[in-house]
Amino acid sequence: EDKVVQSPLSLVVHEGDTVTLNCSYEVTNFRSLLWYKQEKKAPTFLFMLTSSGIEKKSGRLSSILDKKELSSILNITATQTGDSAIYLCAAPNFGNEKLTFGTGTRLTIIP
Amino acid sequence: DTGVSQDPRHKITKRGQNVTFRCDPISEHNRLYWYRQTLGQGPEFLTYFQNEAQLEKSRLLSDRFSAERPKGSFSTLEIQRTEQGDSAMYLCASSMSGGRAYNSPLHFGNGTRLTVT
């Protein structure tokens, strides 16, 4: 059975700090890994990673995939209170695109 | 707004009642998924459709659950004889599939929060 594990489960930092969130996976027919941000409602898409070692960046957020280690990290620099959310990592089953999610990392930014 | 929409946003029901939720996907998306999310957990896959065909159902989906997508557009998820353990957020998502399907990330709706008392 496919498995995605995230750490830490929760993280509390001060505004301006840099954070690193971790995701590891065991997925048959691995093709990609996705990061989502979930505030109060719908998870919103952040990144899709398919190639090892290539960083994807969007503003203060960046993410990279390591296929050798079966893992990915999500970095957020100069955190702001608006970054407070649950960050979900997920891997789709190739073919039906059924996503297996981790439990998420709850990030809280203190002003 | 052309995102995924779900209705209702909240539903409170008594144990034993039936409930039905609706999802309207992004119009050009041919795949539609239902997920369930409980507190402190990531979303768990329930079922998915490609056009009107239901292609996979999770073992989580007991026979009290049924989903339909009659014309390949909107979908409904019905739970019969609800139990307290059914209390959760029910999320719908859609994507466009064809060719390199894994390049199409899922877009989620805001969910229906079900509380069974």
Side-chain angles (χ1 to χ4, degrees), chain B residues 16-106:
Chain B
Q17 298 293 305
N18 298 344
V19 294
T20 300
F21 311 141
R22 178 180 168 122
C23 171
D24 287 89
I26 293 172
S27 57
E28 60 268 26
H29 284 182
N30 59 355
R31 281 193 173 169
L32 186 148
Y33 300 78
W34 286 98
Y35 284 80
R36 180 172 69 187
Q37 187 175 25
T38 53
L39 205 59
Q41 300 295 319
E44 295 172 294
F45 171 80
L46 293 179
T47 188
Y48 93 102
F49 294 83
Q50 175 136 337
N51 302 312
E52 65 276 9
Q54 187 173 19
L55 296 187
E56 187 172 340
K57 288 166 63 169
S58 163
R59 285 169 292 178
L60 292 174
L61 217 64
S62 77
D63 55 10
R64 296 184 298 105
F65 288 70
S66 61
E68 293 183 345
R69 195 183 182 197
K71 294 181 183 175
S73 55
F74 74 92
S75 174
T76 57
L77 177 69
E78 182 183 16
I79 310 174
Q80 295 183 324
R81 304 182 303 282
T82 51
E83 301 172 357
Q84 286 185 319
D86 298 330
S87 295
M89 173 79 86
Y90 289 83
L91 292 164
C92 176
S94 69
S95 70
M96 187 61 204
S97 168
R100 293 165 66 87
Y102 64 89
N103 284 326
S104 171
L106 268 62

Side-chain angles (χ1 to χ4, degrees), chain A:
Chain A
E1 190 172 316
D2 295 345
K3 197 172 164 185
V4 175
V5 177
Q6 292 186 246
S7 64
L9 291 181
S10 68
L11 190 54
V12 180
V13 299
H14 289 280
E15 205 168 15
D17 287 351
T18 292
V19 297
T20 298
L21 310 183
N22 302 290
C23 174
S24 63
Y25 60 88
E26 291 174 32
V27 174
T28 52
N29 297 320
F30 177 82
R31 289 293 184 269
S32 63
L33 188 132
L34 289 82
W35 284 95
Y36 284 85
K37 177 182 181 182
Q38 187 173 27
E39 296 176 85
K40 294 206 186 316
K41 295 165 190 168
T44 52
F45 172 72
L46 294 175
F47 297 112
M48 176 183 277
L49 306 162
T50 55
S51 301
S52 206
I54 297 175
E55 186 182 55
K56 289 222 172 172
K57 206 165 162 61
S58 175
R60 296 175 294 101
L61 276 68
S62 63
S63 185
I64 197 160
L65 178 66
D66 185 338
K67 285 186 180 178
K68 220 183 203 181
E69 297 295 326
L70 306 183
S71 66
S72 174
I73 60 171
L74 175 69
N75 280 321
I76 309 175
T77 58
T79 50
Q80 303 171 358
T81 54
D83 296 327
S84 295
I86 296 171
Y87 289 84
L88 295 162
C89 171
N93 177 290
F94 181 66
N96 65 19
E97 297 310 296
K98 178 180 80 175
L99 286 174
T100 298
F101 281 89
T103 53
T105 293
R106 179 180 290 276
L107 177 64
T108 304
I109 310 297
I110 301 171

